[in-house]
Amino acid sequence: MKENENFISESTNKRECSDNEEKKIDIDDVLVNEIGQFGRYQIRQLLLLSLPLLMGAFSSEYVFSAAAIPHRCQIPECGEEGKDFELQPEWIVNAVPGTDSGGFSSCQRYEPLGANGSLEFCSADIFNRNNVIACDNYVYGKNNSVVYDFNLGCQEWMRTFAGTLSNIGTLLVLPITGYFSDRFGRRLALIVNTFNFGLFGSIRAFSTNYTMYMVLHFLQTFLGAGISSSAYIFATELVGPKYRVLAGALCPSMFAVGSMILGCVAWAIESWRHMILALHMPCFLIVFYYWFLGESVRWLISKQKYRKARSALEKVAKTNKTTISQESMTALLRPKVETTVHPTESRNLITAILRSRILLRRVCTTPFWWISTTLVYYGLSINSTSLSSAMYLNYILTYGIDIPGNLATVLILARIGRKPTLSGDFSVVRLLLYLLGKFSISIVVTSLYVYTSELYPTEYRHSLLAFSSTIGRIGSITAPLTPALMVYWESLPFVLFGGMGLLAGLLVLTQPETRGMKLPDTLAEAEVITKTGA
């Protein structure tokens, strides 16, 4: 830190002033009044962030690579000795029991009596139609899923476990990524996550069994699913207050575009292995971001890396064709003098939380918002492929509706604020039709990212956002299980959604409004929001 000390000393000698004459300047002041809130530099950075945000959506490719496919019992007595036979031969009703819907069983067959038929004709006389047994092997109607390659017929829990592992991996990586980002920088966190995501995703395409597929899927999310949160923090710290909501809305919009690309690629490339490779190979381009993507100026200042912060500010000003005054530069890069009467500015995050009642209340509140949001959002998204037989189109449309929802957030948050948007949408989303509901919950998701990041200071922002999102993964893990509740009461899932949403909406009202406020850099500034924004 010698370079920091030299620079501080050098700057201090240039400007000595009394406390009552010194003007307090922060990064938002400089963005608004001097170097620009949303200039060429910010636009270029946001375009660079778009690529990893698109790739982050590919973590849901298991919806297609592990998709359920039509299957039935293999009937060796009728000449079937493999997986590739006609799914519905004329004689199938002789060997497999029917269902109430007019089809035939996928997991059961009649007991054989020891005689044999042929592929052309298989008589009902060679089966005991009074006794039904489970399948030993299966015949599949399609081959574009791990269900076919790894013979997972009638093992639904194993097939869907890929999605559960994905969410568990994401749950675990978020706090790690948050700490890594706050400790080593936003840029490095983004690069490491995206590279790991592409590496383990590409290797998974060569899985030789389902265990290997699932382990690699877990490692992929555990070591690489922090892409979205890293990029989001990067984007919101990049722009001025006026454009923060816009930057926040662009991030989930890019994620939605990535999801639509995922649906199109899965539609175009039948082989799940080739699909995975096509999706993940571009991730390795992230290596070049080390030279092209600038580090967050807010993070550099919060870590007292003043020489690098000075260089970054000068680059922003040059790219935006503006200037930053020496007075602002000196004031901005001077260590902040704490004015609070109690020591909340501890470098230990846990200690800081426990010492601040305001921060502790927020840390206990924001995770519940995330649980409710992810429960509804992923519950709608995961089940979209079963809306009709057009699986790929359903998936594309379901995420496509997110984009106007995200952009609508820009207008809504700017005019009515964060609290009314979150508390209102939470309570009515259960009453809307499917796509309208998805549109509504996409507004909540974008608002939630913006609002949560505005409540926490720069030095702990990613860690605490990651903590809230991590706890929120309880909702995404639970979402696939909610249809099973209909066995007990058909409306129970909707009561759960509505009850969680109503409670979350009420909890939103306990926190201050942040519309038009500057992003807090320290805990003291974050606490002031309660006094000025409530």
Side-chain angles (χ1 to χ4, degrees):
M1 301 295 290
K2 184 178 291 185
E3 66 172 30
N4 295 341
E5 295 172 358
N6 292 339
F7 183 76
I8 296 169
S9 176
E10 188 178 295
S11 301
T12 304
N13 291 335
K14 290 182 179 179
R15 186 183 182 190
E16 293 288 342
C17 56
S18 62
D19 291 340
N20 60 346
E21 294 176 338
E22 184 176 345
K23 180 182 179 182
K24 183 179 179 181
I25 294 179
D26 60 24
I27 185 64
D28 281 331
D29 292 320
V30 173
L31 286 169
V32 172
N33 301 316
E34 299 190 45
I35 62 178
Q37 299 190 65
F38 198 77
R40 293 175 60 188
Y41 180 85
Q42 285 92 342
I43 293 173
R44 188 180 69 180
Q45 294 285 91
L46 286 172
L47 288 175
L48 287 172
L49 290 174
S50 296
L51 182 59
L53 281 167
L54 291 174
M55 295 170 178
F58 300 161
S59 61
S60 297
E61 54 77 22
Y62 64 86
V63 172
F64 302 106
S65 63
I69 56 176
H71 60 275
R72 62 166 172 83
C73 292
Q74 180 192 104
I75 312 296
E77 295 79 15
C78 299
E80 295 183 339
E81 296 296 338
K83 298 184 289 187
D84 300 309
F85 290 94
E86 184 181 352
L87 191 65
Q88 299 184 45
E90 292 183 1
W91 49 260
I92 193 63
V93 293
N94 298 330
V96 175
T99 62
D100 294 338
S101 60
F104 54 87
S105 174
S106 297
C107 302
Q108 294 179 320
R109 52 162 296 183
Y110 293 126
E111 180 185 20
L113 295 175
N116 293 318
S118 67
L119 290 174
E120 289 73 27
F121 178 73
C122 209
S123 173
D125 296 336
I126 66 173
F127 302 100
N128 179 3
R129 295 171 61 85
N130 295 319
N131 190 23
V132 174
I133 62 175
C135 304
D136 293 323
N137 284 297
Y138 301 89
V139 169
Y140 296 93
K142 297 181 179 179
N143 61 2
N144 59 339
S145 170
V146 297
V147 175
Y148 173 87
D149 281 20
F150 305 136
N151 203 23
L152 300 178
C154 295
Q155 299 183 67
E156 189 67 7
W157 71 271
M158 286 190 66
R159 183 189 70 82
T160 57
F161 195 58
T164 301
L165 273 182
S166 175
N167 282 298
I168 292 174
T170 304
L171 181 149
L172 296 175
V173 74
L174 289 174
I176 297 174
T177 299
Y179 171 80
F180 189 93
S181 173
D182 288 340
R183 179 71 176 82
F184 300 104
R186 313 316 196 199
R187 177 176 59 185
L188 191 58
L190 179 65
I191 292 173
V192 170
N193 270 275
T194 308
F195 184 86
N196 288 341
F197 185 81
L199 177 63
F200 288 100
S202 299
I203 297 175
R204 186 158 50 88
F206 301 96
S207 299
T208 57
N209 54 62
Y210 194 52
T211 300
M212 179 179 176
Y213 173 90
M214 289 195 296
V215 169
L216 287 171
H217 197 44
F218 171 76
L219 291 175
Q220 181 185 13
T221 52
F222 176 60
L223 299 175
I227 296 175
S228 296
S229 63
S230 298
Y232 177 81
I233 292 294
F234 218 133
T236 53
E237 291 184 348
L238 185 66
V239 300
K242 182 178 179 181
Y243 296 94
R244 193 180 304 140
V245 175
L246 176 61
L250 288 175
C251 291
S253 293
M254 287 300 102
F255 185 90
V257 172
S259 297
M260 296 173 70
I261 292 174
L262 166 59
C264 292
V265 171
W267 199 347
I269 302 177
E270 185 173 356
S271 168
W272 66 269
R273 296 180 188 273
H274 295 159
M275 176 195 70
I276 288 178
L277 285 174
L279 291 170
H280 293 98
M281 291 301 291
C283 292
F284 296 113
L285 293 173
I286 197 68
V287 172
F288 298 103
Y289 274 45
Y290 188 81
W291 295 278
F292 292 111
L293 187 67
E295 182 56 271
S296 167
V297 177
R298 292 181 191 272
W299 180 82
L300 291 172
I301 294 174
S302 73
K303 294 301 179 182
Q304 300 184 4
K305 297 179 181 292
Y306 295 123
R307 284 195 182 278
K308 291 182 178 179
R310 182 188 185 96
S311 177
L313 287 167
E314 290 173 345
K315 184 176 182 180
V316 175
K318 181 179 179 181
T319 305
N320 287 349
K321 297 182 179 181
T322 56
T323 58
I324 177 172
S325 66
Q326 184 59 40
E327 292 77 11
S328 295
M329 183 76 79
T330 302
L332 188 62
L333 302 184
R334 179 184 293 112
K336 290 181 172 58
V337 178
E338 299 306 329
T339 59
T340 53
V341 296
H342 54 85
T344 58
E345 289 296 327
S346 171
R347 287 293 174 183
N348 184 294
L349 175 57
I350 297 178
T351 302
I353 292 172
L354 295 176
R355 286 179 174 176
S356 171
R357 289 185 178 181
I358 295 173
L359 190 62
L360 180 61
R361 188 168 67 244
R362 291 177 190 169
V363 169
C364 292
T365 301
T366 56
F368 193 85
W369 304 346
W370 285 80
I371 292 174
S372 299
T373 301
T374 58
L375 178 65
V376 178
Y377 184 85
Y378 286 100
L380 292 173
S381 299
I382 290 172
N383 291 292
S384 66
T385 57
S386 62
L387 287 176
S388 70
S389 59
M391 177 175 70
Y392 302 103
L393 183 60
N394 291 338
Y395 191 85
I396 294 169
L397 291 177
T398 299
Y399 278 99
I401 200 67
D402 283 4
I403 298 176
N406 294 331
L407 298 180
T409 308
V410 178
L411 301 175
I412 294 172
L413 292 188
R415 284 163 173 74
I416 69 173
R418 281 63 165 159
K419 294 169 65 176
T421 303
L422 285 170
S423 59
D425 273 298
F426 266 123
S427 61
V428 304
V429 70
R430 73 189 192 280
L431 304 175
L432 304 175
L433 297 174
Y434 191 91
L435 290 179
L436 184 58
K438 194 62 165 51
F439 174 86
S440 182
I441 197 64
S442 68
I443 294 177
V444 174
V445 170
T446 304
S447 305
L448 196 57
Y449 268 103
V450 173
Y451 193 33
T452 305
S453 65
E454 289 176 338
L455 289 173
Y456 295 125
T458 299
E459 58 183 329
Y460 302 130
R461 181 171 296 119
H462 200 167
S463 294
L464 293 175
L465 176 67
F467 171 75
S468 299
S469 184
T470 297
I471 303 301
R473 288 291 154 179
I474 294 174
S476 61
I477 292 173
T478 306
L481 306 177
T482 53
L485 297 176
M486 298 178 73
V487 174
Y488 304 100
W489 181 30
E490 187 175 358
S491 300
L492 187 55
F494 305 103
V495 172
L496 175 63
F497 291 160
M500 292 283 287
L502 180 60
L503 181 56
L506 293 174
L507 288 175
V508 168
L509 301 178
T510 67
Q511 297 303 319
E513 177 59 68
T514 58
R515 180 179 51 169
M517 306 274 308
K518 297 177 181 179
L519 275 180
D521 290 320
T522 65
L523 284 179
E525 292 174 357
E527 290 180 329
V528 170
I529 296 175
T530 300
K531 302 173 183 177
T532 60

